[in-house]
Amino acid sequence: MNAIIALCHFCEFHGPSVLFCTQAFHCEAHNPLNEACTSALECGACIKRNSTHFASDTHESSSSQDSWVSSRSTQCEACKSLDHTHAGYISIDRDAHISYYSNRSPEQPELYSVVRQACVRSLSCEVCPGREGPMFFGEESSGYVFTHTFFLKDAQSRGFQRWYSIIAVMKDRIYLVNSWPFLVSHFRELIDELQAKANAVYDTEHAESIQKGRQHIQPSANGYLVAPGIAPDIFRRQRGGNKTYRGIADLLADKDLFATLHQRFSWMLKACGNRITEKLLEGPPKEELLTDLETTKDEDHQDVNAHQEDIAVGDSSGPVFTSLRHILKVLGSHKFHLLAYHVIQGNQVIVRGKDRKTVESILNCLKILIPIGCCSCVPYSTEYMDSWRCNFLGLSSAVEIPPHVLSSDLFVLLDVISPLERVSENSISDEQRSEADDFQGYGFDICGNENTKDPSILQKVEEGLENENISDAVFDQLLLCLKEEWMDKVKVIFKFARSGHSTKEDKEKLLRILGAKPEDEIVLKFWMTGLNKQYRSHLLTCSSSGSSS
C-alpha cells in the first residue's frame, strides 16, 4: 500500500509532533515479469535503495533531513523517539522487491510536510466524540488521512494521561476508505497493547508513590489539579521530580518499542496492500464477440461458395443501403416493418434483384437486428436454398421461388426492381423519391404475412428509428443494448428449460418476471440458437451440477 503510517503525540508545551513513521519503497527498476531476478537481495537497484537509507542517516551532515531534524532540537524528550544517531529500521520483502523503512520522519521533505499537517489536524483540529476513536479527513491536494486517537496513562503528567494518535496518510481516497475496517481493527489492537503497558506502569508508579507517602494531587478551586504548596506553573515544569519529560518508550517501560512499532506498521502496509488489489473483472462476454469467430467462418465458407458459383452472375454497379434508417426511408414504414418482423422472428428473408450490391447491402443492414449467432446468410445465389440452410438469402432476379415457400407464412420476399424493369404501379411516391437519393426510379415489391402480434423488441427498434432526435450513432448503441438485454433473457430461458420439469404456469410466470409477452416467446426461442457453443455448454454443465446437488 502506497501510504505512510505514523505515531504522533500532543505535547502540552510544543504541540503536535510526529514521533515515528513507516513508509514503503518500491523498486522502480524491478520488472516483475523478469524471472532472472527473483530476490530483492539479488536486485542491484534494491541493494542501492536500501543502503541509501542507512547512509543518509549515518552521515547527517550530507542528509537533506538535517534541515528539519535540527529545527526540532529544542523539543522535549516526549516529542522525540529515536536518537539522531539511530539509522532507523528497515525490512525487505524479497519477493515483492519492497523495502519498509522506519525513522523519526519521512525521508523526503515534501512528505514530511504532508505528514506533519496530518499530525496537527489529527491532534488539534479534528475531534471525534469522546476524543478517542477513528476519524477520516483530507483533500486531494494534501492527501487523505485515517487517524485513531487515544490516551495513555502517565502518573507524571497533568491529568494523568497523554494524548497520541496513529495516522495513515495516502493520496488514494477510495483505497483508504475501503481499508477502513482493516485499519480500525489493527490500529485498535495495537492501541490496546500500548494502553495495557501504560496502565501497568501507571499502577506500579502509583503504588510506589503511596508507599513512599508522597502527597496526593488534589483539585484546586479553579479546577486545576495541583499538589499542595506547589503553583500550577511550577508543577507543569517539575512533573516527576527532576525528570521533567519522558518519552513514550519510558512511559511504557519498553526499550524495544520502536522496533515493535516498525514490525507492526510494516506488516500493516503489506497486509493492507495485499488485501485490496486492482483486478480486471470482466462481466458476461457479449454474444456478438463470442460467436463472431465461429459464425464468421461459416459465413465466409458460404459466401465463398456462392461467389465461386455466381462470380459472373448479377450486376455489381447498383446503389447500396447504408443503414436501417436508410431502408426505412426508401421502402417506407410498412415494407420495412414486414421485413424487420420476419428478421426478428427468425423466418427466411429473401431479397431478389438484378443488382448484386443492392441485394447484399439490404441483407447486411437487416442482419444487425439479431445476434450474429442467429445469422446464416447466402448473399447472392442463382438457385433457391431452403430456410434450414440460411435465413438470409440473396437471389438473382431470374430465380423462381418454390410453391411450398410461397404458400408459407414463414418467409418474406423483397423484389428489387431496377429502373429498366420498373412498372408504374410499383413506383415510389414523390415524397419517397426525394429521400431515396440514388434509388430514384427503383421499385420494391414485398410478399409476406404477419401471423402474430409485433414483438416488444421490434416496437422499440421502430420507435428509435422514427425518432429524428436520435442520431445514427446513438441508435446503433440503442440497438446494441437492446440485443444484449434480450440475450440475457434468452440465457435465463435456456437454463430454465433445462433445469428440470416445469409447467406452463411456471413458464408464463417466468416470462412475466422477465418483462416478456407471449408474442415474444418465438423471438426468445429463435435467439436461443445464437448462444455461443461454449457458453451453451457451460450453462448445461451448471444446470446438471445444480440438479445433481
Side-chain angles (χ1 to χ4, degrees):
M1 184 172 68
N2 293 324
I4 298 177
I5 298 181
L7 173 67
C8 306
H9 166 59
F10 184 85
C11 178
E12 298 175 4
F13 291 101
H14 304 108
S17 60
V18 180
L19 297 180
F20 189 78
C21 70
T22 303
Q23 59 187 129
F25 293 92
H26 299 257
C27 179
E28 299 178 356
H30 172 60
N31 181 7
L33 301 179
N34 183 11
E35 298 181 356
C37 184
T38 58
S39 172
L41 299 179
E42 302 172 3
C43 178
C46 287
I47 296 174
K48 182 178 180 181
R49 166 80 260 180
N50 298 332
S51 62
T52 303
H53 291 304
F54 293 101
S56 62
D57 282 288
T58 303
H59 306 285
E60 286 190 325
S61 59
S62 60
S63 172
S64 59
Q65 284 186 293
D66 291 344
S67 57
W68 69 80
V69 169
S70 60
S71 64
R72 301 171 58 183
S73 59
T74 58
Q75 294 182 346
C76 61
E77 291 297 323
C79 300
K80 300 177 182 179
S81 55
L82 299 178
D83 188 80
H84 289 177
T85 60
H86 199 291
Y89 300 93
I90 188 169
S91 298
I92 302 173
D93 186 343
R94 301 182 181 182
D95 297 329
H97 290 246
I98 300 175
S99 56
Y100 299 93
Y101 181 64
S102 299
N103 209 329
R104 301 176 300 278
S105 54
E107 184 184 50
Q108 300 88 349
E110 59 273 13
L111 289 181
Y112 174 79
S113 177
V114 172
V115 175
R116 168 67 180 172
Q117 181 181 0
C119 167
V120 172
R121 292 185 62 177
S122 70
L123 292 173
S124 60
C125 304
E126 311 291 342
V127 180
C128 67
R131 300 192 73 181
E132 282 190 297
M135 293 183 294
F136 177 88
F137 58 86
E139 51 276 329
E140 186 176 357
S141 58
S142 59
Y144 298 92
V145 182
F146 169 83
T147 177
H148 198 304
T149 54
F150 61 99
F151 291 99
L152 294 179
K153 281 190 174 182
D154 181 9
Q156 300 180 12
S157 177
R158 184 175 62 177
F160 303 110
Q161 61 184 10
R162 303 257 290 275
W163 195 14
Y164 293 87
S165 70
I166 301 177
I167 62 175
V169 186
M170 69 182 309
K171 286 286 188 179
D172 194 334
R173 177 177 61 88
I174 301 299
Y175 199 109
L176 190 58
V177 171
N178 288 332
S179 302
W180 175 282
F182 176 89
L183 295 176
V184 167
S185 173
H186 291 88
F187 278 16
R188 186 67 256 177
E189 181 181 352
L190 175 59
I191 290 171
D192 288 342
E193 294 178 8
L194 298 179
Q195 289 179 333
K197 292 181 180 180
N199 291 342
V201 174
Y202 174 82
D203 292 341
T204 301
E205 293 179 347
H206 183 66
E208 291 177 353
S209 66
I210 294 178
Q211 293 176 358
K212 293 180 180 180
R214 291 185 177 181
Q215 294 176 315
H216 294 286
I217 300 176
Q218 299 176 355
S220 63
N222 58 9
Y224 287 102
L225 296 174
V226 298
I230 302 179
D233 184 66
I234 298 176
F235 172 73
R236 286 189 309 178
R237 303 176 186 276
Q238 295 182 349
R239 65 190 70 181
N242 295 329
K243 189 174 183 180
T244 310
Y245 311 105
R246 58 178 173 177
I248 185 173
D250 295 333
L251 177 64
L252 304 181
D254 185 358
K255 62 180 180 179
D256 297 325
L257 172 66
F258 296 109
T260 302
L261 290 178
H262 167 74
Q263 293 177 346
R264 300 293 289 272
F265 289 172
S266 299
W267 180 87
M268 289 179 191
L269 290 173
K270 178 179 174 61
C272 193
N274 293 338
R275 174 180 171 270
I276 304 179
T277 57
E278 294 182 353
K279 294 183 180 179
L280 178 60
L281 299 179
E282 297 183 356
K286 296 179 182 178
E287 293 300 318
E288 300 287 315
L289 297 177
L290 288 173
T291 59
D292 185 36
L293 180 59
E294 54 194 49
T295 305
T296 301
K297 289 180 179 179
D298 296 337
E299 289 187 352
D300 289 344
H301 178 69
Q302 293 174 350
D303 292 349
V304 169
N305 291 341
H307 279 273
Q308 288 177 345
E309 178 184 356
D310 306 305
I311 191 66
V313 178
D315 183 5
S316 299
S317 61
V320 297
F321 288 92
T322 58
S323 65
L324 290 173
R325 186 166 281 171
H326 193 185
I327 296 178
L328 175 62
K329 290 181 179 180
V330 175
L331 270 63
S333 58
H334 172 71
K335 295 176 181 177
F336 174 83
H337 173 79
L338 196 58
L339 279 174
Y341 170 85
H342 285 276
V343 170
I344 291 176
Q345 293 272 31
N347 300 331
Q348 189 175 44
V349 178
I350 306 171
V351 180
R352 185 169 57 182
K354 176 183 177 182
D355 300 327
R356 181 174 190 148
K357 290 180 63 176
T358 304
V359 172
E360 291 184 359
S361 67
I362 295 175
L363 295 176
N364 290 334
C365 290
L366 292 175
K367 284 194 297 184
I368 68 173
L369 284 170
I370 59 178
I372 191 172
C374 297
C375 299
S376 178
C377 180
V378 176
Y380 205 75
S381 176
T382 56
E383 62 178 6
Y384 172 77
M385 296 185 180
D386 291 326
S387 58
W388 61 268
R389 297 183 61 183
C390 59
N391 57 334
F392 290 91
L393 176 61
L395 294 178
S396 171
S397 58
V399 178
E400 295 292 334
I401 308 297
H404 73 276
V405 177
L406 296 175
S407 62
S408 172
D409 291 335
L410 303 179
F411 89 104
V412 62
L413 170 64
L414 177 67
D415 279 313
V416 181
I417 305 174
S418 300
L420 295 178
E421 301 172 345
R422 177 176 176 270
V423 291
S424 59
E425 61 268 23
N426 292 326
S427 62
I428 56 178
S429 65
D430 291 339
E431 179 181 358
Q432 288 176 317
R433 188 175 301 165
S434 63
E435 298 175 346
D437 300 328
D438 294 338
F439 289 94
Q440 293 186 12
Y442 277 78
F444 300 91
D445 280 342
I446 194 164
C447 177
N449 298 314
E450 295 184 53
N451 51 15
T452 61
K453 294 182 180 180
D454 295 340
S456 302
I457 187 172
L458 176 59
Q459 298 175 12
K460 294 181 180 180
V461 168
E462 291 180 328
E463 289 176 2
L465 286 172
E466 294 172 358
N467 190 340
E468 297 181 355
N469 295 324
I470 297 179
S471 64
D472 291 339
V474 173
F475 174 78
D476 291 341
Q477 294 300 317
L478 171 64
L479 183 59
L480 179 63
C481 293
L482 282 174
K483 289 194 292 183
E484 286 298 316
E485 175 188 351
W486 280 82
M487 283 305 295
D488 290 339
K489 301 178 191 291
V490 167
K491 293 173 184 177
V492 175
I493 294 292
F494 180 82
K495 190 166 184 179
F496 170 79
R498 285 152 181 80
S499 61
H501 177 71
S502 59
T503 63
K504 182 180 179 181
E505 290 75 14
D506 294 335
K507 182 178 66 176
E508 292 175 350
K509 182 178 180 181
L510 178 61
L511 289 176
R512 289 195 300 270
I513 294 174
L514 295 176
K517 301 177 181 178
E519 55 267 23
D520 298 324
E521 187 176 355
I522 298 177
V523 177
L524 293 171
K525 289 182 178 180
F526 167 57
W527 284 31
M528 202 176 293
T529 62
L531 285 174
N532 174 263
K533 295 178 181 178
Q534 294 181 356
Y535 191 76
R536 187 195 302 263
S537 176
H538 172 70
L539 285 179
L540 290 174
T541 303
C542 293
S543 298
S544 302
S545 302
S547 59
S548 62
S549 60

